Amino acid sequence: MAGEVRPPELLDEPELILEDGEVYRNPTEVKMSQIVLPCHANHCGELSVGQLLKWMDSTACLSAERHAGCSCITASVDDIHFEHTIGLMTVSSSPQVGIVVSCEDLYRNRQWKVCHAFATFVARRTEAGKVQLKQVIPRTQAEQMEYSIAAERRRMRLIHAEIINDLLSSMSECLQFEDAVPAERTRVESVELVLPPHANHQVSTFGGQIMAWMENVATISASRLCNAHPTLRSIDMFHFRGPSHIGDRLVLKAIVNNAFKKSMEVGVCAEAYQGGEPLRHINTAFMTFEVLDQDKKPQTLPRIRPEPVDGKRRFQEAIARKKVRLDRKYIISCKQSEVPLSVPWDPSNQMYLSYNNVSALKMLAARNNWVLTSEKNKVSLYTLEENHVLCFKVETHVAIAAEQVFVLLCDLRRRHEWDPHYKYCEVINHADEDDTIYRVVTPSVSKGGKVQDFILLASRRRPCDSGDPYWIALRSVTLPAFPPTEGYNRGEVVCAGFSITEEDRCLTKLSYYNQATPGVLPYISTDIAGLSSSFYSAFASCSAFLEENKDSLAAVPSAASGEPHWETV
């Protein structure tokens, strides 16, 4: 069984006090503190990334084993972005498990974040057979948020190769430059003998050691292109494809795949063999380097001339991965306040917009400081105001199966049947089975005013585990084919949607969330002020709509799993 180790994002979250007065501490939390000594340093007198990877892997493994109750091995480590370097005589630590690395200056009493990562571990089989992991029960708000979006990160990992292939299919031939450096010049190969000190407590080669060796050959390769000391800025996901053991010869190969104006990508792979056996593929990763000047600013790099056939393939794939990284950084990594309400949509960034859409809704739903504003006939209105942003939640219960509710609410074209704020809705792009883009027209708020329209991405998710909710997430996107038109005010939605939770076989909790924007606020301001109760009327209509249409659904076996699910008939 596999489990993901996650760092909480809200490091300043207030402590949770238990009933007995004790401060809550996650039982899987592991802390490690290390003094950075000269033996840990690289040529610049800073902590070697290879050493840092060893410490990160060790800490995460200890956490995973606390949860699993048995030995665990590293299966993969998601992308790592290094925000800062670490100098000598500072302390590197992982404050809370998941892998958060911070640095402490012992003399100036300063702390800062270096990087964070998400690691997935696999529990090794015992004599009793396959290990069944305990269910994770998040307690704090930060744990609830990270637990909710872990499924989205897994979804992105599984579809990453498909995204790269889609990008490659639309690329043109790479250009050749006379002054380009031959990629062959950057090729590096090294062989390491796996000795007992390189093994972990399970007598396999320590994953952190393999990652450190890979970082070392990648750095040598990068330095051959730039004739300088490169700085590692990010690592695309490590994925361990097989184990290595004491006595293995580990063959490490690296080459610069592509050089962009201010950065370069180095591909590195690790293979193992013993005696005359064929090479076994252990790991592959892609590392992005920069060369910094005295002011810590990236310098311009020489161009690279790829080798024929495989070299050209690697050259094109590096361009695709850079596009993916930029999309991911722009859509996912930015704080909400730094991202415009409407983000341009295209097939290449579809997965990351979908991830951001669902994750934003899950994080909003996980907030624990909602305030009950009004309640009528078991329909409750809650508000949440933080950092000058107003959010609201409407919650009720319906005596209908959760999946039936999910199927009926998924199609926004039917929402006008119960929601007076939806005048008209049409599908303008059916991206895939989970994502659809709609144009929604809403009535004018004021007499004689313009009607509004919205271009909304609807992302749907079924539960990953029993007890998990269904999700329908909504956010605004822009499409060149559908610009704002005369006669309509173009409204925007930054985060909205439904959480649908099964509480009994035929009892479902239905929650609607919305982060109010100028285009949305006029519709609900009187409800929040207590001057009207249109929210009750809308949800009473929603309950009636669900009740009237539940018989239009039939249980149909899934083509993928064979499990029954509901479909409109």
Side-chain angles (χ1 to χ4, degrees), residues 193-210:
L193 175 61
V194 181
L195 299 173
H198 303 139
N200 58 23
H201 52 302
Q202 301 158 50
V203 202
S204 297
T205 311
F206 174 39
Q209 179 63 67
I210 295 174

Side-chain angles (χ1 to χ4, degrees), residues 72 87 348 352 407 423 476 497:
C72 293
S348 67
Y352 303 107
V407 172
K423 185 177 180 181
S476 287

Side-chain angles (χ1 to χ4, degrees), residues 442-499:
T442 63
S444 172
V445 180
S446 58
K447 187 176 181 180
K450 286 185 177 181
V451 296
Q452 283 200 117
D453 68 344
F454 298 79
I455 306 299
L456 297 181
L457 169 66
S459 303
R460 300 169 287 272
R461 298 289 187 273
R462 295 178 181 272
C464 293
D465 297 311
S466 60
D468 287 353
Y470 294 82
W471 298 94
I472 305 170
L474 306 171
R475 69 155 298 147
S476 287
V477 294
T478 58
L479 288 174
F482 291 87
T485 55
E486 188 176 352
Y488 295 89
N489 285 328
R490 177 57 54 87
E492 294 184 311
V493 172
V494 66
C495 177
F498 294 94
S499 167

